[in-house]
Amino acid sequence: VTALSTLAAALLFLAVACVRRWGAGYSTMGALCASYVNAGNLGIPIAAYVLGDASLVAPVLLLQQLFIAPVALTVFDITTAEERPGVWRQLTSPFRNPVVVGSLLGLAVNVTGVPVPTMVMDPVALIGGMSVPAVLLAFGISLRGRALPARGPDRWPVLLSVLIKVSVQPFLAWLIGAGLFGLSGETLFAVVVVAALPAAQNLFTYASRYDIGTTLARDSVLLSTILAAPALVVVTVLLR
């Protein structure tokens, strides 16, 4: 349900982006803002508090880190390259990206149970521990001295991505879950709550790294995070 609702939300933004001719890299960033949920910083505590099981967001994290992020980062790598890379380089691009490599290594260690030497794990744990605060600090700094969100040339892409993220994606999750898979009760409630989470803040990191849609990512994350609270209240009232 999560995979299908995420795909549908992303395709909805991309359909409008194609009509408006917003460009491949910019459109990809907008599609992420419209569908890529904050499953880590907000998803884990909300799943633990509201749903009673933090592990419910684990499949979402895996979907995003192992499938969605590699595809999006490959698009960014190709669109920002000085020269168009060959077919082989395009195909292997995800496996040269540190975000994807780190995710795959973490999954491999988890599945195989291979112990990681302390001298290797300690630096990884140190970097991992500072990553979330660093992302939040960078995002907060980016808001200093900026105009109100959804202003200027990025206004309509921002509003579109926020509309899809906050209202359309949860509705799609409910529609697919109840209508296609016959979910009900706590299970249906869980997938809709996860779909109602705001856009992930690491999207701003991607945007800054590739210099693609930085304002779009920043404003979409900010507005969807603010509107996620009332959206989650509406979901709870309707489904509980």
Side-chain angles (χ1 to χ4, degrees):
V1 172
T2 298
L4 291 176
S5 60
T6 298
L7 178 62
L11 289 177
L12 182 58
F13 184 94
L14 289 174
V16 177
C18 287
V19 174
R20 301 292 298 175
R21 303 184 181 219
W22 285 336
Y26 188 88
S27 300
T28 301
M29 180 56 66
L32 289 176
C33 293
S35 61
Y36 197 101
V37 304
N38 191 335
N41 297 348
L42 291 179
I44 293 175
I46 287 177
Y49 181 74
V50 178
L51 306 176
D53 185 2
S55 66
L56 289 171
V57 298
V60 184
L61 287 168
L62 290 174
L63 171 70
Q64 294 186 158
Q65 288 298 107
L66 298 179
F67 294 98
I68 298 175
V71 173
L73 294 176
T74 298
V75 174
F76 296 150
D77 283 329
I78 293 173
T79 55
T80 57
E82 294 183 1
E83 297 181 1
R84 184 173 180 83
V87 176
W88 174 250
R89 187 170 181 82
Q90 292 182 36
L91 292 175
T92 58
S93 178
F95 304 102
R96 293 194 303 273
N97 190 291
V99 175
V100 179
V101 172
S103 300
L104 291 175
L105 290 175
L107 180 64
V109 169
N110 184 273
V111 171
T112 61
V114 175
V116 180
T118 302
M119 65 180 298
V120 175
M121 193 62 195
D122 284 352
V124 173
L126 181 64
I127 295 173
M130 67 180 245
S131 61
V132 172
V135 169
L136 294 175
L137 283 171
F139 183 77
I141 291 171
S142 73
L143 300 175
R144 175 71 173 87
R146 300 287 182 175
L148 292 174
R151 297 290 181 93
D154 295 285
R155 178 180 185 181
W156 294 113
V158 168
L159 293 178
L160 175 62
S161 68
V162 173
L163 175 65
I164 295 174
K165 180 76 232 41
V166 173
S167 59
V168 176
Q169 189 174 5
F171 174 75
L172 290 172
W174 171 81
L175 191 65
I176 295 170
L180 189 59
F181 290 93
L183 300 182
S184 62
E186 295 296 325
T187 307
L188 181 62
F189 179 62
V191 295
V192 177
V193 165
V194 170
L197 293 171
Q201 282 147 342
N202 56 325
L203 297 180
F204 176 74
T205 306
Y206 297 160
S208 300
R209 162 64 181 81
Y210 291 97
D211 194 23
I212 295 177
T214 307
T215 302
L216 168 62
R218 185 193 68 230
D219 291 358
S220 296
V221 170
L222 177 62
L223 291 177
S224 64
T225 301
I226 294 173
L227 296 174
L232 288 169
V233 171
V234 171
V235 168
T236 303
V237 170
L238 294 177
L239 296 181
R240 293 300 292 268

